Amino acid sequence: MDRRNLRRVATRLGELDCQVVDGLAEGTVPDLAVILCHGLGAAGTDLVSLVPELMAMEPVLAERVRFVVPAGPLTMAQWGMPQGRAWFHLPEAFMRGQMRDWEAYSKEVPEGLPAARRALMSVVDALSTTSKLPYGRIVLGGFSQGGMVTTDVALRLEERPAGLFILSGTLIAEAEWKQKAQARQGLPVFQGHGRHDDVLPFATGERLRDALVQSGLSVDFFPFDGPHTLDVEELERLAAFLKARLGD
């Protein structure tokens, strides 16, 4: 994909500042939209560079898909990251690298998650309106905490989205997610997780996968030999997943 042919626009959709990236001709309505959410502490624009990589792997994405990269609503300045953003704050034990009981945490509804959900839902609504796309033509996903908030939203939208992708995410709000997932049976999900993840342990990704599969979602789970990061083959699989959501 020739990056010179990409259009990138900074705008506000709903409650959040967003970067909108596509290679569509001016005035063209996309066939699909993808919302891509960053992880805890990253800059709001962190994953913009991922878009041309995915388009290079599957060129049809440049021709037919609009990508939206929102910035989380919270600042991480108090943790020494003035450019860092968050969707919701995690426990201090996590921030200090002392988080141990992930099973207990998975059962909690993190403080701030409902507000993050509302903010991201406002982006979905605005994107649907401006792009003239129903929810069923919008894919949601993200990395780490971005995968958590998009999972929460994908399970709660009034209509089923086109798909969900979770890159190094984890299970939270377990009881609520399992209950909401009953209405999402068959939802296509791509999930990747590093076996050597020392931030969100691999076992937490497996627990999330198992919860979604048991609820009837169609999960393509890709483990890779790496830490808390993005893997090249994982991205290739993600690009193919997004291409498949175009449906033809």
Side-chain angles (χ1 to χ4, degrees):
M1 174 66 205
D2 188 341
R3 298 181 185 223
R4 291 172 299 179
N5 295 330
L6 289 183
R7 178 179 53 181
R8 173 178 171 180
V9 177
T11 188
R12 192 164 179 90
L13 291 173
E15 299 177 17
L16 299 177
D17 294 327
C18 299
Q19 302 289 318
V20 180
V21 185
D22 63 49
L24 280 67
E26 188 72 32
T28 301
V29 175
D31 293 321
L32 189 76
V34 176
I35 294 176
L36 178 58
C37 294
H38 64 79
L40 179 76
T45 58
D46 181 57
L47 295 182
V48 170
S49 62
L50 202 61
V51 175
E53 291 186 44
L54 294 170
M55 290 176 172
M57 293 168 177
E58 294 289 354
V60 70
L61 299 180
E63 302 166 7
R64 300 175 58 188
V65 179
R66 175 164 293 154
F67 286 80
V68 175
V69 184
L74 304 178
T75 179
M76 292 290 289
Q78 69 271 40
W79 289 99
M81 293 177 271
Q83 303 302 316
R85 309 299 298 178
W87 296 96
F88 51 90
H89 289 306
L90 291 175
E92 191 161 326
F94 174 87
M95 298 303 299
R96 299 192 184 284
Q98 299 168 345
M99 191 86 157
R100 296 292 181 266
D101 194 349
W102 284 102
E103 184 169 354
Y105 183 69
S106 71
K107 300 181 187 306
E108 298 179 11
V109 177
E111 182 179 355
L113 178 61
R117 175 194 312 144
R118 288 192 298 271
L120 189 56
M121 281 185 166
S122 75
V123 174
V124 176
D125 288 341
L127 175 61
S128 176
T129 299
T130 58
S131 298
K132 300 179 175 62
L133 292 173
Y135 290 172
R137 301 301 296 168
I138 298 175
V139 180
L140 296 96
F143 177 73
S144 193
Q145 194 184 56
M148 300 178 209
V149 70
T150 48
T151 299
D152 190 77
V153 168
L155 296 178
R156 295 172 186 272
L157 289 172
E158 292 180 3
E159 301 171 18
R160 194 174 91 169
L164 168 68
F165 59 94
I166 308 163
L167 311 175
S168 300
T170 193
L171 179 64
I172 55 174
E174 182 174 9
E176 292 185 5
W177 281 13
K178 285 184 174 179
Q179 189 271 326
K180 295 293 183 182
Q182 299 302 315
R184 291 290 183 262
Q185 294 189 20
L187 175 69
V189 179
F190 173 74
Q191 184 185 357
H193 209 112
R195 292 188 180 93
H196 310 298
D197 194 325
D198 59 352
V199 177
L200 298 177
F202 185 67
T204 68
E206 291 183 307
R207 291 188 70 238
L208 172 58
R209 174 201 63 195
D210 293 346
L212 297 178
V213 169
Q214 289 164 12
S215 297
L217 283 69
S218 179
V219 181
D220 175 13
F221 184 73
F222 176 70
F224 60 90
D225 290 321
H228 193 66
T229 188
L230 295 170
D231 177 80
V232 173
E233 187 176 353
E234 177 190 31
L235 295 181
E236 291 172 347
R237 296 275 290 267
L238 173 59
F241 174 83
L242 296 177
K243 179 182 178 181
R245 305 286 71 78
L246 284 165
D248 53 27

